[in-house]
Amino acid sequence: MESNMSEQFVEIDNFGLELLENVDMMMEPQHSHEEVSSQEVLILIEKVILEIVTSLSKDEAPVLVLPNRSSWANVSFDNAVGLQMTSGSSVTTVRSNCSSSVTKFGHILKVLSTIYKLVQSNVYATKRDIYYNDTQLFGSQRTVDSIVDDISCMLKVPRRRLHVLATSKGFISGDLCYLEEDSTKVDCHSNSTATPVSSNVGGIRNIVSSAKFVLIVEKDATFQKLLDYDFCTKLCPCIMITGKGVPDVNSRLMVRKLWDTLHIPIFALVDADPYGIEIMCIYKYGSVAMSFEAHSLTVPSVMWLGLLPSDLHRLRVPEDALIPLTQRDQNKLTSLLKRPYLACQPAWQREMEMMQRSKVKAEIQSLASIAPDFLSRVYLPNKLRYGGWI
């Protein structure tokens, strides 16, 4: 049985060996800021407060200078890291004497104060905890989320070092066991229920797995279907993870953690549409907004397993299962084709140009129009058996 499985998935084994040969090149050293001590974080916050006090003592209105996290002009592309923020990036000035930014100035000081207390007392809190600590001040959870990322970027310190955690929305299942930071043992082998992705991925240790690969699944519905089919044990030992659409930071950290620990192939299964492709690109190359943490979030070894636009033609997916591209889809596709990382992905470029010409898209569920269990019984086994990834 074991030798039969090895023969069946020789392409995955060969690809895994290829990755191991290149692992040093792909494993960029982690940012030195990952190792920032609690004392250093406190000093960085004190420096910010000191600058504010100094401005006030001179009868000047204090300002905070934040790197601009929304501009493509502020990022550079490195094939081994993905999208990373450049050192000379443009900045946003948050003024305390300007009606359009004074509220944000107050929010930043409030969150800085909370972070200082957390780090000082060696206690962790979620972004949700911070929001509910003063809902009237912040107005929405999104405000807190953005402020925490701004502070992390401003101080050049990963969010975990600020003692701020985020509630995870992702799930993981398969051949995987590990210990949480508090020594809780987590076993992801269950066939019927998935395990929520940890809210403290940085604290995970003692990872044990004999998985041959990791499968990133874009949608929760597809993930659940594969879970119900018992995909991770019926085909071969593997790990499945979903960020349930656009991935949260914890799901991305978890994929990176698995890559750093196991060095096995990582495949992405996304819809054959511009937004599915963009989600896969976030796992592989990162995003502009989080480019300041690229070294701990991106996994450039991720491969596109499906659903490929060329698969739609090759498998003769029925026309009534295909969806015409909207103008919004076409604009997104045009934008994706201009991304800096596409230059080193000619096969991806060809697939996207094929979508552009055909003017149609398809969800993973469209394969059910061929046969109800086509995805789990035919499509994925054949793709993995014969090396159908790009």
Side-chain angles (χ1 to χ4, degrees):
M1 175 77 180
E2 189 64 40
S3 89
N4 187 32
M5 189 192 294
S6 299
E7 286 166 21
Q8 283 187 359
F9 297 102
V10 68
E11 291 290 342
I12 292 178
D13 292 337
N14 290 341
F15 180 51
L17 290 171
E18 192 182 313
L19 287 175
L20 283 174
E21 284 173 13
N22 298 320
V23 79
D24 290 336
M25 186 176 70
M26 298 169 85
M27 286 282 292
E28 283 287 305
Q30 290 283 299
H31 245 200
S32 58
H33 297 119
E34 278 289 331
E35 305 309 320
V36 173
S37 70
S38 294
Q39 191 57 41
E40 286 170 311
V41 173
L42 294 176
I43 290 167
L44 287 168
I45 296 173
E46 286 164 6
K47 278 183 181 174
V48 173
I49 301 305
L50 185 61
E51 284 173 16
I52 291 171
V53 171
T54 303
S55 296
L56 289 170
S57 70
K58 294 177 180 175
D59 278 338
E60 295 171 359
V63 297
L64 292 167
V65 179
L66 307 175
N68 187 336
R69 295 192 299 113
S70 60
S71 171
W72 276 94
N74 280 352
V75 298
S76 63
F77 172 68
D78 182 320
N79 200 21
V81 182
L83 300 172
Q84 54 186 342
M85 186 169 277
T86 53
S87 51
S89 56
S90 65
V91 295
T92 303
T93 305
V94 183
R95 300 183 179 278
S96 60
N97 63 342
C98 174
S99 58
S100 63
S101 64
V102 66
T103 303
K104 183 168 183 175
F105 187 92
H107 288 162
I108 293 172
L109 285 192
K110 173 67 175 175
V111 176
L112 267 176
S113 167
T114 303
I115 288 170
Y116 191 90
K117 289 171 192 165
L118 289 170
V119 176
Q120 199 173 41
S121 54
N122 195 28
V123 172
Y124 286 83
T126 65
K127 290 192 286 188
R128 200 159 180 76
D129 293 333
I130 295 172
Y131 167 62
Y132 278 109
N133 197 31
D134 200 332
T135 55
Q136 281 193 308
L137 174 69
F138 296 118
S140 74
Q141 179 68 58
R142 188 173 290 184
T143 300
V144 173
D145 295 351
S146 178
I147 294 293
V148 169
D149 288 338
D150 281 337
I151 290 172
S152 177
C153 187
M154 175 177 72
L155 300 179
K156 295 183 172 59
V157 172
R159 192 181 65 206
R160 178 175 134 72
R161 298 294 179 192
L162 302 178
H163 285 233
V164 179
L165 306 174
T167 307
S168 296
K169 67 168 184 161
F171 284 92
I172 192 164
S173 181
D175 193 315
L176 178 68
C177 291
Y178 58 84
L179 291 181
E180 289 275 13
E181 192 167 41
D182 64 1
S183 295
T184 302
K185 186 179 180 182
V186 178
D187 187 341
C188 304
H189 283 85
S190 172
N191 301 338
S192 53
T193 55
T195 304
V197 170
S198 172
S199 59
N200 187 4
V201 175
I204 288 174
R205 56 199 165 89
N206 293 22
I207 290 178
V208 177
S209 174
S210 55
K212 279 184 172 285
F213 62 89
V214 175
L215 181 66
I216 297 167
V217 183
E218 176 193 350
K219 287 180 167 174
D220 186 41
T222 307
F223 179 87
Q224 291 298 332
K225 192 170 182 179
L226 292 172
L227 198 64
D228 292 343
Y229 177 71
D230 196 10
F231 181 79
C232 288
T233 50
K234 277 186 179 170
L235 188 68
C236 74
C238 66
I239 298 165
M240 293 195 307
I241 185 167
T242 180
K244 295 166 78 171
V246 177
D248 58 334
V249 169
N250 287 329
S251 297
R252 292 170 62 189
L253 283 169
M254 191 69 197
V255 173
R256 175 67 194 224
K257 185 91 172 179
L258 293 173
W259 164 246
D260 285 342
T261 311
L262 304 175
H263 300 314
I264 55 176
I266 300 178
F267 303 116
L269 178 65
V270 299
D271 287 341
D273 69 18
Y275 292 91
I277 295 168
E278 183 168 51
I279 284 167
M280 173 175 60
C281 290
I282 290 171
Y283 282 106
K284 187 175 175 79
Y285 294 125
S287 61
V288 174
M290 295 298 290
S291 57
F292 65 96
E293 272 205 60
H295 289 74
S296 58
L297 287 174
T298 63
V299 187
S301 62
V302 168
M303 302 298 282
W304 188 2
L305 186 67
L307 188 61
L308 304 179
S310 59
D311 289 337
L312 307 179
H313 175 72
R314 182 177 60 83
L315 298 170
R316 296 194 175 98
V317 174
E319 280 195 28
D320 58 3
L322 305 178
I323 307 163
L325 289 179
T326 63
Q327 189 57 53
R328 189 163 164 258
D329 290 329
Q330 290 182 45
N331 293 344
K332 175 58 74 176
L333 197 50
T334 304
S335 161
L336 281 170
L337 282 162
K338 291 176 184 171
R339 300 273 171 97
Y341 40 71
L342 258 294
C344 66
Q345 289 291 350
W348 286 28
Q349 206 167 341
R350 283 193 296 273
E351 291 289 337
M352 290 158 73
E353 286 166 353
M354 186 181 295
M355 187 189 296
Q356 213 170 30
R357 287 193 303 272
S358 69
K359 292 187 168 54
V360 293
K361 61 183 180 179
E363 298 181 336
I364 299 164
Q365 294 94 311
S366 67
L367 294 178
S369 64
I370 302 172
D373 52 3
F374 190 80
L375 173 69
S376 51
R377 287 184 181 273
V378 181
Y379 182 78
L380 287 176
N382 285 341
K383 277 267 180 175
L384 294 162
R385 196 166 286 136
Y386 301 114
W389 52 81
I390 57 174

